[in-house]
Amino acid sequence: MIKTEYYKDLTKMNTFGMKVKARCFMEYDSVADLVDIEFEELARPVLHIGGGSNLLFTDDFKGTVLHSKINFIEVLDDSPCHSEERSDVAIYVSVGAGVVFDDFCAWAAKEGLWGVENLSYIPGEVGASAVQNIGAYGVEVKDVIHKVYCYDTVEEEFVNFSVEECEYGYRDSIFKDPEIKGRYIVTHVVFALSREPRPVLDYGHLREAVAEAMSHSCDPRPRELGHPLAGGGMSHPCDNASDTVADCHFERSGSGDEKSLTPAMIRKVIIKIRKEKLPEPSVMGSAGSFFKNPVITMEHYLRIEAAAKAEHGPDYKVPHYDLPDGMVKVPAAWMIEQCGWKGRRSGGAAVYDKQPLVIVNYTGEAYPEEIIGLERRIIASVKAKFGVDLHPEVEHI
């Protein structure tokens, strides 16, 4: 079924909470509905949104906004098989484009399937994740995508793309290419997950956070909702009423055994970290990470490092990640904080006080111009101090 509304209020359909309207809004329930839409007759431009989690609406949208409600998760073959593109064994899972991505992560963790646990709690929907190539804590969604299925609005046929054909890059894909952007509507994505443990822990302080969580034991009995943890103290990452010691395998020794980890365990640690660092969109509007982390040459990084040591002392360490091609990724959050932006307000907009990579709708009434103004000032100050051009991860509409 296709639901059509005119002058639709999009305030609750974008996580920034921008108070904007769409001239026409169409929401569809199935793949078959796409065939019935007369795309050539839609008010232009046409924008397909997921959860509105990576968008900044700069004004009312004068065209048509489409939204998918295709909602299913299906294991295509529960017996492991070797993928031609991958060296490991894979469990192929087909997921509708309208599924909330974190709901899929929760399902995978419950099923004991590895691959998307590090991507837990990222807002948005599955279709958008395949377009954006979302990533967090050392994992990008391209690492677990097998195929992306789409409807070609030009040829009016269903097509699919292998992960190689998607041409994934850092927060980028072929679907964002200006020449074809909007032509392909993602209907569902097939993910290649695994029952074999493959934890990815070497990003930031994730390993330490997991080790800390593993230092707390679970009650060996099945837990009831609200049951206190043995030993008391800080809350345990296993906070689901269905969790048992079999799900956790924690040891009080403190070091932790990675072989005993489960996807559910890592998921809960990731969620805890994200909740501590990022605002809840329902409380304070944002689009998550506003800027991409810049990639610079080693020579440029060494100049930044030398300047930082001169400013902070010879033992100061600049956070960075060495890339295989010899380039260096430097956290945009560090640069923004070094420029003094953390926690600063500009009208109704602000830089989040717990994570400077996030610009927030601080008052809930911020205008798009206030967000954009703050964005430009941050870009200018980072350029002046570090000689680095920051680029927004958030798409401006």
Side-chain angles (χ1 to χ4, degrees):
M1 184 179 72
I2 302 172
K3 181 175 69 174
T4 303
E5 298 179 64
Y6 295 96
Y7 301 101
K8 167 78 170 178
D9 184 355
L10 299 178
T11 304
K12 294 184 178 180
M13 299 199 71
N14 72 99
T15 58
F16 242 128
M18 294 291 101
K19 299 182 185 303
V20 295
K21 295 180 180 181
R23 177 183 174 186
C24 180
F25 176 81
M26 300 181 72
E27 193 169 61
Y28 56 93
D29 294 329
S30 69
V31 172
D33 289 334
L34 287 170
V35 179
D36 295 331
I37 297 176
E38 298 291 343
F39 285 93
E40 291 300 322
E41 298 180 7
L42 297 179
R44 302 287 169 168
V46 176
L47 172 69
H48 200 293
I49 65 172
S53 57
N54 197 52
L55 303 176
L56 173 61
F57 282 100
T58 60
D59 201 348
D60 287 342
F61 193 73
K62 297 176 175 58
T64 303
V65 172
L66 298 174
H67 182 246
S68 171
K69 294 288 285 185
I70 300 174
N71 195 322
F72 68 87
I73 299 176
E74 178 185 359
V75 177
L76 298 182
D77 185 354
D78 198 32
S79 60
C81 58
H82 287 275
S83 165
E84 293 180 0
E85 295 86 3
R86 303 171 186 276
S87 59
D88 59 348
V89 293
I91 302 293
Y92 294 109
V93 183
S94 181
V95 187
V99 173
V100 173
F101 189 83
D102 190 57
D103 288 350
F104 168 51
C105 293
W107 175 89
K110 182 179 179 181
E111 295 294 320
L113 295 174
W114 291 84
V116 293
E117 59 281 352
N118 286 39
L119 304 177
S120 292
Y121 219 58
I122 295 178
E125 297 172 359
V126 166
S129 76
V131 172
Q132 175 71 2
N133 187 25
I134 62 173
Y137 301 100
V139 174
E140 291 180 312
V141 76
K142 71 174 179 62
D143 300 330
V144 290
I145 284 179
H146 176 59
K147 283 188 178 181
V148 178
Y149 288 77
C150 304
Y151 180 68
D152 183 342
T153 62
V154 175
E155 297 296 332
E156 298 182 342
E157 63 182 9
F158 293 99
V159 297
N160 64 78
F161 296 84
S162 68
V163 67
E164 292 81 11
E165 290 172 328
C166 291
E167 298 181 9
Y168 283 120
Y170 177 49
R171 305 297 178 268
D172 197 18
S173 72
I174 192 174
F175 306 111
K176 299 179 77 172
D177 184 328
E179 293 186 5
I180 64 170
K181 186 175 180 180
R183 171 174 176 172
Y184 299 102
I185 295 178
V186 178
T187 58
H188 60 287
V189 181
V190 174
F191 295 90
L193 305 183
S194 174
R195 292 202 185 279
E196 295 184 359
R198 52 179 190 186
V200 178
L201 304 176
D202 294 324
Y203 191 94
H205 300 290
L206 181 56
R207 187 177 298 276
E208 290 86 345
V210 170
E212 179 182 353
M214 292 180 72
S215 70
H216 297 269
S217 65
C218 288
D219 191 299
R221 297 165 295 175
R223 292 174 53 201
E224 301 294 336
L225 185 62
H227 180 80
L229 293 168
M234 63 180 290
S235 62
H236 196 287
C238 291
D239 55 4
N240 188 293
S242 64
D243 289 329
T244 68
V245 69
D247 299 314
C248 307
H249 303 285
F250 288 169
E251 298 294 339
R252 193 173 285 277
S253 62
S255 61
D257 179 4
E258 287 187 17
K259 294 181 180 179
S260 67
L261 286 173
T262 67
M265 166 60 206
I266 295 179
R267 168 176 164 77
K268 284 164 185 156
V269 173
I270 293 289
I271 290 175
K272 182 175 184 293
I273 293 173
R274 291 185 69 89
K275 283 187 173 182
E276 290 173 349
K277 288 186 176 182
L278 302 173
E280 292 284 353
S282 59
V283 177
M284 186 179 295
S286 82
S289 299
F290 197 94
F291 298 100
K292 297 178 182 179
N293 289 318
V295 176
I296 60 177
T297 64
M298 177 60 74
E299 181 182 7
H300 194 164
Y301 165 73
L302 292 175
R303 291 199 301 269
I304 290 175
E305 182 184 52
K309 288 182 180 294
E311 181 177 353
H312 300 288
D315 296 328
Y316 186 83
K317 297 184 183 302
V318 176
H320 67 284
Y321 307 95
D322 295 326
L323 301 177
D325 60 0
M327 301 291 281
V328 181
K329 182 185 292 186
V330 180
W334 176 80
M335 292 184 169
I336 295 168
E337 184 170 1
Q338 291 298 304
C339 290
W341 285 104
K342 187 176 182 179
R344 285 178 59 181
R345 285 185 58 184
S346 179
V351 177
Y352 192 48
D353 59 0
K354 296 180 181 179
Q355 170 51 273
L357 194 57
V358 178
I359 294 178
V360 295
N361 182 353
Y362 187 82
T363 62
E365 302 289 336
Y367 294 104
E369 294 81 5
E370 292 176 310
I371 304 293
I372 294 170
L374 180 56
E375 169 195 355
R376 290 174 176 169
R377 292 169 64 194
I378 292 171
I379 290 173
S381 63
V382 168
K383 178 69 172 180
K385 185 175 180 66
F386 298 106
V388 171
D389 293 308
L390 286 185
H391 297 283
E393 180 176 324
V394 173
E395 184 175 2
H396 295 51
I397 304 298

